Amino acid sequence: MARSKTRIVRAVFPNSTNHYDTLFGGITLKWMDEVAFITATRFGRKKFVTVSSDRVDFNMPIPGGHFAELIGEVVKVGKSSLIVDVTLMLEAMYEEGQVEAVKGSFTLVAINDERKAVPIFS
Amino acid sequence: MARSKTRIVRAVFPNSTNHYDTLFGGITLKWMDEVAFITATRFGRKKFVTVSSDRVDFNMPIPGGHFAELIGEVVKVGKSSLIVDVTLMLEAMYEEGQVEAVKGSFTLVAINDERKAVPIFS
Amino acid sequence: MARSKTRIVRAVFPNSTNHYDTLFGGITLKWMDEVAFITATRFGRKKFVTVSSDRVDFNMPIPGGHFAELIGEVVKVGKSSLIVDVTLMLEAMYEEGQVEAVKGSFTLVAINDERKAVPIFS
Amino acid sequence: MARSKTRIVRAVFPNSTNHYDTLFGGITLKWMDEVAFITATRFGRKKFVTVSSDRVDFNMPIPGGHFAELIGEVVKVGKSSLIVDVTLMLEAMYEEGQVEAVKGSFTLVAINDERKAVPIFS
Amino acid sequence: MARSKTRIVRAVFPNSTNHYDTLFGGITLKWMDEVAFITATRFGRKKFVTVSSDRVDFNMPIPGGHFAELIGEVVKVGKSSLIVDVTLMLEAMYEEGQVEAVKGSFTLVAINDERKAVPIFS
Amino acid sequence: MARSKTRIVRAVFPNSTNHYDTLFGGITLKWMDEVAFITATRFGRKKFVTVSSDRVDFNMPIPGGHFAELIGEVVKVGKSSLIVDVTLMLEAMYEEGQVEAVKGSFTLVAINDERKAVPIFS
């Protein structure tokens, strides 16, 4: 599991913000799903698709001009599906430290070319 | 509630697909959150932010060259928060009919300029 | 014709605005053409391409932090071409009501895989 | 007028195409409007906004993997408005020569900070 | 060489700026590479790929609400590779004149379908 | 220096590829510059701007449907400027292992609000 842990740091620029100058919620979810997909694929080295995003909590806004570090981690593995927890850590540009701003989990399933579920280990 | 019901139809072009030529899950979530935000704002005519996306189920892939109709509807209203259900209906380009492909719900809260929760009706 | 009527609501965020903080005219036209394409395809359930955009009038600017509702409607049908009127209704976020901000019409033609015009009804 | 003539060459990559692998009509219009805006601004060195796009003819598709050269030219000047003709020349990557693929004209008006029309020459 | 000289003018809008309201360096490099690719392809009418970007100097920031004119020019031609100089000229919207803001050079090589280097003239 | 080391993994989807279905060189440079900017800022916790990208070598193409892991590392620190090396590691989706595909370095300078160079440590 440790090997598949995936990190993406992004700078929040105007092309990702809403008119309140905070990261638009839809972009947050897009970034989280990309991390979940990469984490799952690196874990299983199979074709994975998202079957559900489970509860995602937005604890605080992510202001423009900040960094967002997204961290994906496989937390549970079934026969053909697995769960990836994704955390978005908010980091100011000119100060040390991070706080957890958003947290959610995603379930992905391994599939073959006919889109049938296949075992992750085989 | 009926008045705030919001519809967005999108054509799935290569700029939104993954390398399997299906709509990337992250884009699906981005579109759903945008619909949820518009639906909530039209209902309450206040400043709303997403506090959580609750379970979102991806029942089938959305292939490139199809339409996706997203429908947002307020289903529950509290003092300062509300729940919006968002459904993505998949529609082939050259055939009548739609099938439910993705469904989820989003909780949004009305806030003031200091980002404190405020009553939706006041 | 009623069945093909297509609605798209968009929130105007910084990624679509010019440096006057109003919706960039080019984005307006892009959104209108997407609505025209979907409306035509839903009407005829054939492969359609835009052959011309007829006069498009921009009556007022669409400021950032507003909604734009685009409505496409088939208004005239020929043998292999049809005309779609597209209206952009401007809607403030925190007030009821819409005003017509942009209006134009687009001519699309049904084609086959060799890009020859084909009858819409056949 | 010659000094304001503006040229933009773009490569047509998958992020701009529809599912027929040709340049999406909405992107064509977006690029044309951007050229019209730059051409008008360079001519008058004032704040300009698009008031209408007049007829735009799409004579042939622009396939992926081709170049599109957009050329804007001021063709008529009134007191506070002017007309810019925009031509999109299609150019294959591995052959000399260009053909006119799309042609249209745009009317822009010079405005002040209160969005009132102002004379272009003053 | 003169025939392949390529010009692209872009308006700097919020979707390309960082949170200092200046053109994000990464977008600058993206625009420069696109110009280098088009210039090389027009010169050799072969399939070209970038093998290196040589030193690129950012002499001054490009503020939002300005124009950036990118000019690509072939300056050296070898057997299967060539060098394109790309200059970004900064132009205020409401004043005549341009200043050189960024300058760099790119080496591209002509390849065949198996990605082997091929002579530019053959 | 170790603390500022920054990693971004991206999946290469059609919105980032050219018509050869490989990552467009301009997008590669955009991603590398974003990593360089984040790495520098995390190291110095000051406002940084790119003053030059030094030689960037593209050793092999990055095909669609692969991962690209970008790693930024501060390698040299002067009074107000520093150098960040950025490496792009190519990783197949369904196999372990990475190969170095692109490598370059970027010089950034710490500035104050008047855009004057300032000491990194002060």
Side-chain angles (χ1 to χ4, degrees):
Chain A
M1 288 187 187
R3 254 180 39 217
S4 63
K5 194 166 172 171
T6 291
R7 290 170 176 278
I8 297 185
V9 196
R10 303 293 302 256
V12 181
F13 286 159
N15 67 345
S16 310
T17 57
N18 55 29
H19 59 294
Y20 312 141
D21 190 32
T22 59
L23 186 62
F24 171 51
I27 299 282
T28 308
L29 291 168
K30 179 174 166 242
W31 289 355
M32 293 177 83
D33 184 74
E34 186 175 353
V35 171
F37 168 73
I38 298 173
T39 306
T41 305
R42 284 177 147 188
F43 178 85
R45 298 291 172 192
K46 293 246 166 10
K47 194 168 169 173
F48 276 89
V49 290
T50 306
V51 290
S52 64
S53 78
D54 305 305
R55 190 180 173 83
V56 179
D57 286 298
F58 295 78
N59 302 319
M60 69 189 71
I62 292 105
H66 281 65
F67 295 135
E69 179 156 16
L70 297 125
I71 303 158
E73 211 168 347
V74 175
V75 293
K76 204 174 158 191
V77 184
K79 204 183 157 229
S80 38
S81 70
L82 49 73
I83 295 177
V84 179
D85 273 4
V86 181
T87 311
L88 185 155
M89 303 301 292
L90 174 62
E91 182 179 330
M93 284 198 183
Y94 312 128
E95 279 166 60
E96 297 292 332
Q98 293 188 324
V99 291
E100 188 182 300
V102 187
K103 187 166 179 83
S105 64
F106 293 78
T107 303
L108 296 100
V109 67
I111 57 168
N112 62 16
D113 290 340
E114 288 75 46
R115 304 194 70 92
K116 299 281 170 215
V118 293
I120 293 175
F121 302 110
S122 62
Chain B
M1 288 188 186
R3 254 176 42 214
S4 63
K5 193 165 174 173
T6 290
R7 290 169 175 278
I8 297 185
V9 195
R10 303 293 301 256
V12 181
F13 286 158
N15 68 345
S16 310
T17 58
N18 55 29
H19 59 294
Y20 312 141
D21 191 31
T22 60
L23 186 63
F24 171 51
I27 299 282
T28 309
L29 290 169
K30 180 174 166 240
W31 289 355
M32 292 176 85
D33 184 74
E34 186 175 354
V35 171
F37 168 73
I38 298 173
T39 307
T41 305
R42 283 178 148 186
F43 179 84
R45 297 291 172 193
K46 292 245 165 14
K47 195 168 169 174
F48 277 89
V49 290
T50 306
V51 290
S52 64
S53 77
D54 305 305
R55 188 179 174 82
V56 178
D57 287 297
F58 295 77
N59 301 319
M60 70 189 69
I62 292 105
H66 281 65
F67 294 134
E69 179 156 18
L70 298 124
I71 304 159
E73 211 168 348
V74 176
V75 294
K76 204 174 158 191
V77 185
K79 205 183 156 228
S80 40
S81 71
L82 49 73
I83 296 177
V84 179
D85 273 5
V86 181
T87 312
L88 185 155
M89 302 301 293
L90 174 61
E91 182 179 329
M93 283 198 184
Y94 312 128
E95 279 165 60
E96 297 291 331
Q98 294 187 325
V99 291
E100 189 182 300
V102 188
K103 187 165 179 81
S105 64
F106 294 78
T107 303
L108 296 101
V109 67
I111 57 168
N112 61 17
D113 289 342
E114 288 75 47
R115 304 194 70 92
K116 299 279 170 219
V118 293
I120 293 175
F121 302 110
S122 62
Chain C
M1 288 190 187
R3 259 183 33 220
S4 62
K5 195 166 174 172
T6 290
R7 290 170 175 278
I8 298 184
V9 195
R10 303 293 301 257
V12 181
F13 286 159
N15 67 345
S16 311
T17 58
N18 55 29
H19 58 294
Y20 311 142
D21 191 32
T22 59
L23 185 62
F24 170 50
I27 299 282
T28 309
L29 290 169
K30 180 174 166 241
W31 289 354
M32 293 176 85
D33 184 74
E34 185 174 354
V35 171
F37 168 73
I38 298 172
T39 307
T41 305
R42 285 177 147 187
F43 178 85
R45 297 293 172 190
K46 293 247 164 13
K47 194 169 170 173
F48 277 89
V49 290
T50 306
V51 290
S52 64
S53 79
D54 304 306
R55 188 179 176 84
V56 178
D57 287 298
F58 295 78
N59 301 318
M60 70 189 69
I62 292 103
H66 281 65
F67 295 135
E69 179 156 18
L70 298 124
I71 304 158
E73 209 168 346
V74 175
V75 294
K76 204 173 157 191
V77 185
K79 206 185 155 225
S80 37
S81 70
L82 48 72
I83 296 176
V84 179
D85 273 5
V86 181
T87 311
L88 186 155
M89 303 301 293
L90 174 62
E91 183 179 329
M93 285 199 182
Y94 311 129
E95 280 164 60
E96 298 291 334
Q98 294 187 324
V99 291
E100 188 182 301
V102 188
K103 186 164 180 85
S105 65
F106 293 78
T107 303
L108 296 101
V109 66
I111 57 168
N112 61 16
D113 289 341
E114 289 75 44
R115 302 194 72 92
K116 299 281 170 215
V118 293
I120 294 175
F121 303 110
S122 62
Chain D
M1 288 188 187
R3 255 176 43 214
S4 63
K5 194 166 173 171
T6 290
R7 290 170 175 278
I8 298 185
V9 194
R10 304 293 301 257
V12 181
F13 287 159
N15 67 345
S16 310
T17 57
N18 54 30
H19 58 294
Y20 313 141
D21 191 31
T22 60
L23 185 63
F24 170 51
I27 298 282
T28 308
L29 290 169
K30 180 173 167 243
W31 289 356
M32 293 176 83
D33 184 73
E34 185 175 354
V35 172
F37 169 72
I38 297 173
T39 307
T41 305
R42 284 177 147 189
F43 179 84
R45 297 293 171 190
K46 293 246 165 12
K47 195 169 171 174
F48 277 88
V49 290
T50 306
V51 290
S52 64
S53 78
D54 305 304
R55 189 179 176 83
V56 179
D57 288 297
F58 296 77
N59 302 318
M60 70 189 71
I62 292 105
H66 281 65
F67 294 135
E69 179 156 17
L70 298 124
I71 303 158
E73 210 168 346
V74 174
V75 294
K76 205 173 156 189
V77 184
K79 204 183 156 228
S80 38
S81 70
L82 49 74
I83 296 177
V84 179
D85 273 5
V86 181
T87 310
L88 185 156
M89 302 301 293
L90 174 62
E91 183 180 329
M93 283 199 183
Y94 312 129
E95 279 165 60
E96 297 292 333
Q98 293 188 324
V99 292
E100 188 182 301
V102 187
K103 186 165 179 84
S105 64
F106 294 78
T107 302
L108 297 100
V109 67
I111 56 168
N112 62 16
D113 290 341
E114 288 76 46
R115 303 194 71 90
K116 299 282 170 214
V118 293
I120 294 176
F121 302 110
S122 62
Chain E
M1 288 188 187
R3 253 172 47 211
S4 64
K5 195 166 172 172
T6 290
R7 290 169 175 278
I8 298 185
V9 195
R10 304 292 301 257
V12 181
F13 287 159
N15 67 345
S16 311
T17 58
N18 54 30
H19 59 295
Y20 312 142
D21 191 31
T22 59
L23 186 62
F24 170 51
I27 298 281
T28 309
L29 290 168
K30 180 173 166 242
W31 289 355
M32 292 177 85
D33 184 75
E34 185 175 355
V35 171
F37 168 73
I38 298 173
T39 307
T41 306
R42 284 178 147 186
F43 178 84
R45 297 294 172 191
K46 293 246 166 9
K47 194 168 169 173
F48 277 89
V49 291
T50 306
V51 290
S52 64
S53 78
D54 306 305
R55 189 180 174 81
V56 178
D57 287 297
F58 296 77
N59 302 318
M60 70 189 71
I62 293 105
H66 281 65
F67 295 134
E69 178 157 17
L70 298 124
I71 304 159
E73 210 167 347
V74 176
V75 293
K76 204 174 157 191
V77 184
K79 205 184 156 227
S80 39
S81 70
L82 50 73
I83 295 177
V84 179
D85 273 4
V86 181
T87 311
L88 185 155
M89 303 300 294
L90 174 61
E91 183 180 330
M93 284 198 183
Y94 312 128
E95 279 165 60
E96 298 292 332
Q98 294 187 325
V99 292
E100 188 182 302
V102 188
K103 186 164 179 85
S105 65
F106 293 78
T107 303
L108 297 101
V109 66
I111 57 168
N112 62 15
D113 289 342
E114 288 75 46
R115 302 194 72 92
K116 299 281 170 216
V118 293
I120 294 175
F121 301 110
S122 61
Chain F
M1 288 188 185
R3 256 177 41 216
S4 64
K5 195 166 173 172
T6 291
R7 290 170 175 279
I8 298 185
V9 195
R10 304 292 302 257
V12 181
F13 286 158
N15 68 346
S16 310
T17 58
N18 54 30
H19 59 294
Y20 312 141
D21 191 31
T22 59
L23 185 63
F24 170 51
I27 298 282
T28 309
L29 291 168
K30 180 175 166 240
W31 289 355
M32 292 177 84
D33 184 74
E34 185 174 354
V35 171
F37 168 73
I38 297 173
T39 307
T41 305
R42 284 177 147 189
F43 178 85
R45 297 293 172 192
K46 293 246 165 14
K47 193 168 170 174
F48 277 89
V49 290
T50 306
V51 290
S52 64
S53 79
D54 305 306
R55 190 180 173 82
V56 178
D57 287 297
F58 296 78
N59 302 318
M60 69 190 70
I62 293 105
H66 281 66
F67 294 135
E69 179 157 17
L70 298 124
I71 304 158
E73 210 168 346
V74 175
V75 293
K76 203 174 157 190
V77 184
K79 204 182 157 229
S80 39
S81 71
L82 49 73
I83 295 176
V84 179
D85 273 4
V86 181
T87 311
L88 185 155
M89 302 301 293
L90 174 61
E91 182 179 331
M93 285 198 182
Y94 311 129
E95 280 166 59
E96 297 291 334
Q98 293 188 326
V99 291
E100 189 182 300
V102 187
K103 186 164 179 86
S105 64
F106 293 78
T107 303
L108 296 101
V109 67
I111 56 168
N112 61 15
D113 290 341
E114 289 75 45
R115 302 194 71 91
K116 300 281 169 214
V118 294
I120 294 175
F121 302 109
S122 60

